[in-house]
Amino acid sequence: MGQARRTGDGRACHRGMTTSDRKATRLICSLTASDAKSMRADMLAAAKAGADAVECRLDYLRPIPDAVALKALLAGHRVDVIATCRAPRQGGQFAGSESQRLDVLRHAAKAGATFVDVEDDVPVADWPKGRVICSFHDMAGRPDDLGSIARRLDASPAEVNKLAVVAGGPEDALAALEVLRACRKPTIALAMGEAGAASRILARKFCAVGTFASLHPGAESAAGQFTLQEMRELVRWDSLSPATSVYGVIGCPVAHSMSPAIHNAAFTAAGLDAVYVPLLIQPGEGHFRRFMDALVARPWLDWRGLSVTIPHKENALAYVGAGNCDGLARQIGAVNTITLRPDGLRGDNTDYSAALEAMCVAMGIRREALAASHLAVLGAGGVARAIVAGLRHYRAEVTVYNRTVARAEALGREFACHAAGLADIANTTAEILIHCTPIGMHPKVDACPLATIPPQVKVVFDAIYNPPRTRLLEMAETAGCKTVSGVEMFVNQAVAQYQAWTGRPAPRQVMRDVVLARLADR
Ligand code: NAP
């Protein structure tokens, strides 16, 4: 059966589930077609798309397949086949009785399925030897006693263990990965749902027997499954290894985030054995803390860095501790970059430096030269706050214009700058204008925060990156101003994170191309 290799921390790592054992952790495409002909076609399509194995979800088939139908379905299969037939109590669709369900699995085994997946409450004694996956499912959450469940699965006569729970937060994905380390037998362990994504992606690093993916969007057999294409292209499944370093982005929502695409493309371009995963954490300091505690307690994860986005930047500062953060992150009150170092956590804010860098490069000046400039900042939210803190750090003169004047005044008091209402921008004496409201952002791309560009303004920087060219920037260009797109700030902050984590120069052009390609797709 499976051979052993070594994880990053030198532990033995089991893999393989077939006698051929030709590959490491399998990318298993779960097939959910409702008729046998389509499922057979999907088996071929999955193999063509790079799946190492397929899971035939026989419970999706209508009518219930008999021995003849299963023989036709499984004849001459090119990749390993797992036959699964789940009852509704375990998240399945099977419409018949329990004895009919078990008959379907027996027929599938006779028809040549490589493995049959039998739930842990079904006695496995009379199943074909060496071809049984004993599976445990919790469709309501993650039980506290995963360790004892893992020991129970290990004690069954089945060849392979499978454990699937529902993730409340990404800490449950980490608990599933711990099961992979704890089990003596080849094992699949995953946390379902979007919050469990890390358990699916990191399965290969921790030498699971396999991880499940769907053939295309909408064909998932369980919540949180990526498509085969996403697994192979977005998270670079084929290049993952036990030595892979791990990074991720914390946010809510996080599914829309471009960061996994940007950082994974950068790792590929630089030839780094690293992967970047999305981490959905619900709002609230308690949720953030629960995940971070679970992460810090598991150094064997090889986790090196985290991007932090809305709504957790303040929670990140509180967790890392002001003493471990850069001075401006403390002043801004927000951390968007956490680095896990051997001596502890470090917090940084790359937002302000990304914005300043974008402007200074466009203007061909050093940051210190900002001391001689007067800048108008439109908006007083999170981005404006980071930029104002950065500008004041370099002693620039700043006036904040905001719809809610009291908010501009509060920022003005805190960072010793001027404050005014939005209407006053028409009379600004500033030469550089920085726009930090969402006006003009996708999908309302025709909106513009200003009727005209104030006469003194020579440079306009719009923090909005979607679209890359806003109405405001078009208007500024027509007025003869130098313009800077929010795309530059967006790329700069990712570049700064990459450099903080890896200590290497980032492949900036690759990262920029990913952002522009993704924005063009939207
Ligand atoms: P935020 O904290 O919600 O602040 C929004 C600001 O916009 C507030 O000052 C708010 O004024 C003002 N505002 C909102 N709607 C308005 C309206 N209809 N009319 C006038 N003022 C309005 O948002 P944020 O996090 O600072 O983000 C601001 C923008 O920055 C985002 O929309 C995004 O496009 C951009 N951004 C860019 C990057 C990048 O890397 N390039 C990163 C993050 C964000 P009140 O105080 O009166 O509510």
Side-chain angles (χ1 to χ4, degrees):
M1 208 205 39
Q3 69 203 69
R5 55 182 176 152
R6 299 271 145 195
T7 62
D9 63 359
R11 289 168 57 92
C13 188
H14 299 285
R15 62 173 173 169
M17 61 180 185
T18 68
T19 44
S20 59
D21 192 22
R22 63 183 188 281
K23 269 191 151 179
T25 306
R26 276 149 177 78
L27 187 54
I28 306 166
C29 186
S30 204
L31 304 178
T32 55
S34 59
D35 66 275
K37 197 172 161 208
S38 305
M39 190 172 278
R40 176 132 179 115
D42 286 350
M43 284 169 76
L44 296 174
K48 219 169 158 187
D52 303 307
V54 294
E55 179 192 41
C56 289
R57 285 295 300 260
L58 304 175
D59 49 311
Y60 279 69
L61 292 178
R62 300 288 179 274
I64 294 171
D66 58 15
V68 176
L70 287 165
K71 215 166 174 178
L73 174 68
L74 300 179
H77 53 83
R78 292 195 194 163
V79 292
D80 295 338
V81 175
I82 300 171
T84 301
C85 189
R86 284 226 207 286
R89 71 189 151 86
Q90 291 195 309
Q93 309 267 328
F94 192 71
S97 66
E98 182 65 1
S99 67
Q100 280 176 310
R101 190 178 76 83
L102 297 179
D103 277 348
V104 169
L105 287 173
R106 285 196 185 91
H107 293 321
K110 277 202 188 113
T114 323
F115 267 79
V116 286
D117 179 322
V118 182
E119 293 75 9
D120 71 328
D121 55 1
V122 175
V124 293
D126 60 339
W127 291 93
K129 199 166 161 38
R131 290 166 58 201
V132 178
I133 296 173
C134 179
S135 65
F136 168 89
H137 290 80
D138 189 328
M139 304 308 294
R142 193 258 281 182
D144 290 333
D145 56 343
L146 284 191
S148 64
I149 295 165
R151 284 191 289 281
R152 198 172 77 218
L153 293 174
D154 258 346
S156 94
E159 179 86 343
V160 174
N161 302 328
K162 180 184 170 197
L163 177 142
V165 298
V166 172
E171 61 277 7
D172 295 332
L174 307 188
L177 296 173
E178 191 156 87
V179 168
L180 290 177
R181 281 170 49 95
C183 283
R184 284 182 294 103
K185 289 198 303 200
T187 299
I188 298 169
L190 54 93
M192 297 179 280
E194 191 186 338
S199 67
R200 297 186 183 277
I201 297 166
L202 299 179
R204 186 165 211 166
K205 174 174 171 61
F206 295 104
C207 307
V209 165
T211 199
F212 294 91
S214 67
L215 189 54
H216 50 76
E220 300 83 7
S221 63
Q225 260 172 23
F226 292 91
T227 61
L228 280 178
Q229 190 183 7
E230 286 168 333
M231 288 297 278
R232 301 196 68 210
E233 291 174 16
L234 178 64
V235 300
R236 314 160 62 244
W237 172 260
D238 297 307
S239 66
L240 303 185
S241 78
T244 300
S245 307
V246 187
Y247 301 83
V249 54
I250 290 173
C252 183
V254 80
H256 71 291
S257 172
M258 287 194 273
S259 296
I262 298 170
H263 284 284
N264 283 321
F267 292 147
T268 302
L272 287 186
D273 188 0
V275 68
Y276 186 101
V277 303
L279 300 158
L280 176 69
I281 300 185
Q282 295 303 319
E285 194 178 349
H287 292 293
F288 184 85
R289 205 162 264 286
R290 203 167 306 137
F291 170 70
M292 288 302 297
D293 285 346
L295 184 67
V296 170
R298 294 176 169 91
W300 46 264
L301 285 164
D302 293 331
W303 214 293
R304 304 288 168 83
L306 292 157
S307 309
V308 184
T309 184
I310 291 169
H312 288 296
K313 292 185 187 185
E314 290 80 9
N315 298 332
L317 175 69
Y319 190 86
V320 173
N324 300 314
C325 294
D326 80 68
L328 268 178
R330 276 204 300 271
Q331 234 184 325
I332 295 163
V335 157
N336 77 331
T337 309
I338 297 176
T339 308
L340 289 93
R341 304 196 300 200
D343 58 344
L345 303 179
R346 153 104 197 157
D348 289 291
N349 188 311
T350 64
D351 285 335
Y352 79 85
S353 56
L356 263 50
E357 185 75 6
M359 275 186 329
C360 290
V361 166
M363 292 163 64
I365 59 168
R366 287 160 47 84
R367 287 188 196 181
E368 288 68 23
L370 289 168
S373 310
H374 180 194
L375 296 101
V377 174
L378 255 78
V383 168
R385 184 182 170 78
I387 292 178
V388 168
L391 291 173
R392 292 296 297 135
H393 178 76
Y394 288 97
R395 302 184 188 288
E397 185 185 347
V398 177
T399 305
V400 178
Y401 298 88
N402 195 44
R403 177 176 62 182
T404 308
V405 184
R407 224 173 150 194
E409 287 170 346
L411 214 54
R413 279 191 298 277
E414 201 175 345
F415 292 101
C417 53
H418 314 290
L422 263 190
D424 293 335
I425 187 83
N427 305 316
T428 189
T429 55
E431 292 201 333
I432 305 169
L433 187 146
I434 305 180
H435 175 229
C436 303
T437 85
I439 302 170
M441 192 169 85
H442 180 82
K444 296 182 179 167
V445 294
D446 288 328
C448 188
L450 301 178
T452 54
I453 301 293
Q456 298 293 325
V457 171
K458 304 283 180 293
V459 180
V460 176
F461 167 37
D462 197 336
I464 291 174
Y465 58 83
N466 187 12
R469 197 123 212 91
T470 57
R471 278 278 174 275
L472 176 66
L473 291 185
E474 283 172 2
M475 197 161 83
E477 215 165 61
T478 307
C481 297
K482 198 180 271 281
T483 59
V484 188
S485 165
V487 167
E488 304 311 322
M489 172 182 170
F490 191 76
V491 173
N492 286 348
Q493 58 85 23
V495 163
Q497 292 186 327
Y498 180 100
Q499 290 174 176
W501 295 330
T502 65
R504 298 176 180 215
R508 174 187 293 274
Q509 193 54 46
V510 169
M511 298 166 91
R512 196 166 183 278
D513 289 348
V514 171
V515 174
L516 292 175
R518 293 244 152 189
L519 289 173
D521 272 357
R522 285 181 179 183

